[in-house]
Amino acid sequence: MHEPISVYSIFHNGSIKPLSFMWKKRRISVENITYSWETVEESGVNMHFSIVSGNFYYHLVYVPAFSRWYICDVESTVV
């Protein structure tokens, strides 16, 4: 999965904090950012976020070279 999404986020002093995002016509609030990391690609450094909202984990990535957000993975927290 690598779908473009719209994300409401705060950019401050070189850091990014996603607050909510639109996916499948639903607004999903970010309850907790459990982990964030960076990867280096040909286009530059991408910023990844592991997010919890409700009963789901979401993996979002921001690609600064294109000023675009993507959702990469969704997993249920319910076992």
Side-chain angles (χ1 to χ4, degrees):
M1 171 188 300
H2 192 75
E3 296 178 32
I5 58 171
S6 296
V7 178
Y8 177 70
S9 56
I10 296 173
F11 290 74
H12 181 65
N13 289 336
S15 66
I16 302 172
K17 182 179 180 183
L19 302 176
S20 65
F21 58 97
M22 293 296 295
W23 184 53
K24 295 188 176 185
K25 298 182 182 182
R26 293 185 310 135
R27 183 177 173 269
I28 299 169
S29 295
V30 174
E31 294 173 10
N32 191 20
I33 299 171
T34 59
Y35 189 64
S36 62
W37 68 100
E38 296 178 348
T39 58
V40 178
E41 310 251 336
E42 286 182 23
S43 60
V45 177
N46 297 335
M47 297 162 205
H48 298 258
F49 300 87
S50 178
I51 290 169
V52 174
S53 182
N55 292 327
F56 293 94
Y57 287 110
Y58 299 90
H59 173 190
L60 306 184
V61 62
Y62 177 64
V63 181
F66 305 113
S67 295
R68 288 299 321 219
W69 284 91
Y70 299 91
I71 187 165
C72 298
D73 195 21
V74 180
E75 292 183 32
S76 175
T77 61
V78 179
V79 179

